[in-house]
Amino acid sequence: MAAAAIEKLPQLKSATDGLKEMSDNERSGFINLVSRYLSGEAQHIEWSKIQTPTDEIVVPYDKMANVSEDASETKYLLDKLVVLKLNGGLGTTMGCTGPKSVIEVRDGLTFLDLIVIQIENLNNKYGCKVPLVLMNSFNTHDDTQKIVEKYTNSNVDIHTFNQSKYPRVVADEFVPWPSKGKTDKDGWYPPGHGDVFPSLMNSGKLDAFISQGKEYVFVANSDNLGAVVDLKILKHLIQNKNEYCMEVTPKTLADVKGGTLISYEGKVQLLEIAQVPDEHVNEFKSIEKFKIFNTNNLWVNLKAIKKLVEADALKMEIIPNPKEVDGVKVLQLETAAGAAIRFFENAIGVNVPRSRFLPVKATSDLLLVQSDLYTLVDGFVTRNKARTNPTNPAIELGPEFKKVASFLGRFKSIPSIVELDSLKVSGDVWFGSGVVLKGKVSVKANSGTKLEIPDNAVVKDKDINGPEDL
């Protein structure tokens, strides 16, 4: 960054001081982030120094000791645990209003319903009190507060707190957009999930949990159905005094952009595609050299978070996110929780089965989890044993299916896909009930025509371009 940019810091600071919506913690966090960005302190990765982590650093899940059948050990572990879900995202990309976690996933139950059912089952079965914490953003806070009221009679203590609210910066003048009169929500942004650590601390919840004898927080995205409590991992961390653990899983061709764990100058750290020099991007995406990627299921020691936040030591890589909103070019600076791994003592990765990574980012993922490929038992979404192929079918649905409501409208019932390898649907396509899809299937309605797959049709290895192909 040029010296000219650094000179803009005092005016940005005084403008920020005038923004009454910000707390002192938010103000100092924001200025801190901007000055780090302007000083250009980003860590430069020397490609030749990157090493593949050993099994000591990225532990194979199978090598971790099992938890004994004795219920008292399970209770002992659960009493040390807090579950935190990142709940700041909206369902807008899937055409839904409000928090993404209230989209119905299966059998009329939302992401949040499933999470509460899972924790309630643990609490009932073992007589413990694992709390559920939701980190909201200002976009999801009000709705979430109303939604959690429906769980008041459940056996789960639900806590919510808000992540920071930072002003978007007008790019060419380098001033906070709200101080230029942009007073609605669009003038602000939540600065990424790296903010979970200071925000948890600032909310007062971190100290409260430590005083209750809690030791670890399990952090995960609320839309990852595979991110269920796993005591084998927790037991390993307590026994080995690991302050931080990132769950990684083997990459498939669908995951080439995901961050990976590397050993670098004797420490484990996250390498994201944005940090990779252009000439090495293809190597980064290859499955041969970088075999694993970050699921964003993270286990972190509470006292270690407190120590590092107090010392202002969590200086994660800054992700600049330039946007154009209402015709104005703005900049928002973000950080990611996974990048914090290099600041914790004894940090490890654990190479977990793919079943612990089942995110629902689009209606194509919803098709998978609502189909016969999965069953729902006690709030857990479990894969159907009848499917022999370890990977899920590749599903591509056209824009007509993008919104949840239109997706649901176009399927009279969700087809059977246990034997499906891939499905590509484009155009104005409608599915009857009881349809079975097998092998490689492509369905394309020509523009201006409506194509209906009839009830109980069995379609195997077919390209369907019109009713005559059925």
Side-chain angles (χ1 to χ4, degrees), residues 136-152:
N136 300 321
S137 65
F138 60 86
N139 289 316
T140 59
H141 175 260
D142 294 351
D143 288 336
T144 303
Q145 293 306 86
K146 292 190 194 80
I147 291 155
V148 296
E149 284 174 13
K150 74 185 239 197
Y151 306 118
T152 26

Side-chain angles (χ1 to χ4, degrees), residues 109-410:
L109 298 169
T110 66
F111 289 103
L112 215 45
D113 293 338
L114 296 177
I115 291 163
V116 172
I117 292 167
Q118 289 165 14
I119 298 178
E120 184 169 41
N121 284 335
L122 285 173
N123 286 346
N124 289 342
K125 187 172 176 186
Y126 296 102
C128 51
K129 268 284 190 219
V130 176
L132 170 63
V133 187
L134 303 173
M135 180 168 86
N136 300 321
S137 65
F138 60 86
N139 289 316
T140 59
H141 175 260
D142 294 351
D143 288 336
T144 303
Q145 293 306 86
K146 292 190 194 80
I147 291 155
V148 296
E149 284 174 13
K150 74 185 239 197
Y151 306 118
T152 26
N153 297 325
S154 73
N155 186 17
V156 182
D157 290 335
I158 300 179
H159 303 255
T160 59
F161 70 95
N162 260 5
Q163 75 171 111
S164 305
K165 174 179 172 177
Y166 287 176
R168 286 176 162 155
V169 175
V170 180
D172 54 357
E173 302 167 62
F174 225 78
V175 290
W177 204 8
S179 58
K180 300 216 39 161
K182 184 70 177 172
T183 49
D184 64 4
K185 270 187 176 174
D186 282 344
W188 302 85
Y189 76 100
H193 47 57
D195 182 54
V196 63
F197 305 119
S199 290
L200 182 61
M201 173 93 180
N202 294 339
S203 72
K205 308 252 175 228
L206 184 68
D207 285 328
F209 289 136
I210 290 171
S211 69
Q212 292 163 19
K214 307 292 182 196
E215 289 181 22
Y216 280 86
V217 60
F218 172 39
V219 179
N221 297 358
S222 61
D223 66 6
N224 178 7
L225 296 170
V228 301
V229 169
D230 189 303
L231 295 177
K232 196 163 126 160
I233 297 174
L234 183 59
K235 176 181 179 173
H236 184 94
L237 303 182
I238 292 171
Q239 280 182 342
N240 294 280
K241 297 189 168 58
N242 304 109
E243 287 186 350
Y244 186 112
C245 170
M246 173 187 290
E247 293 185 37
V248 294
T249 197
K251 255 202 248 187
T252 67
L253 291 171
D255 318 301
V256 291
K257 289 189 175 146
T260 192
L261 283 184
I262 56 170
S263 288
Y264 190 80
E265 296 185 331
K267 293 210 84 156
V268 59
Q269 74 175 60
L270 182 67
L271 177 66
E272 297 271 18
I273 195 162
Q275 296 164 275
V276 176
D278 291 347
E279 66 270 25
H280 294 293
V281 166
N282 284 342
E283 195 181 342
F284 175 82
K285 288 180 171 179
S286 86
I287 300 183
E288 280 72 52
K289 178 162 182 177
F290 299 103
K291 296 185 162 70
I292 52 173
F293 75 100
N294 170 24
T295 63
N296 218 39
N297 298 348
L298 311 169
W299 300 75
V300 196
N301 180 282
L302 297 176
K303 283 182 177 163
I305 295 173
K306 182 176 166 73
K307 185 181 77 183
L308 289 167
V309 171
E310 282 177 344
D312 193 24
L314 292 175
K315 299 189 187 305
M316 281 91 90
E317 288 70 25
I318 296 172
I319 306 154
N321 188 352
K323 291 186 178 247
E324 192 167 310
V325 185
D326 300 338
V328 179
K329 288 192 166 62
V330 293
L331 179 65
Q332 48 189 61
L333 303 176
E334 304 173 10
T335 62
I341 190 167
R342 65 191 176 100
F343 301 105
F344 287 83
E345 291 297 312
N346 240 340
I348 58 168
V350 54
N351 195 345
V352 297
R354 181 75 185 201
S355 58
R356 294 192 54 74
F357 184 66
L358 184 58
V360 178
K361 299 289 180 199
T363 50
S364 51
D365 301 317
L366 220 41
L367 176 59
L368 292 174
V369 299
Q370 293 186 354
S371 74
D372 57 352
L373 202 54
Y374 288 92
T375 49
L376 185 62
V377 184
D378 295 340
F380 297 100
V381 178
T382 321
R383 208 150 174 275
N384 186 341
K385 297 268 192 292
R387 171 129 180 132
T388 45
N389 184 342
T391 57
N392 277 344
I395 293 181
E396 248 183 275
L397 301 174
E400 297 79 4
F401 290 81
K402 189 175 181 193
K403 296 185 167 175
V404 174
S406 29
F407 162 82
L408 293 171
R410 287 175 178 273

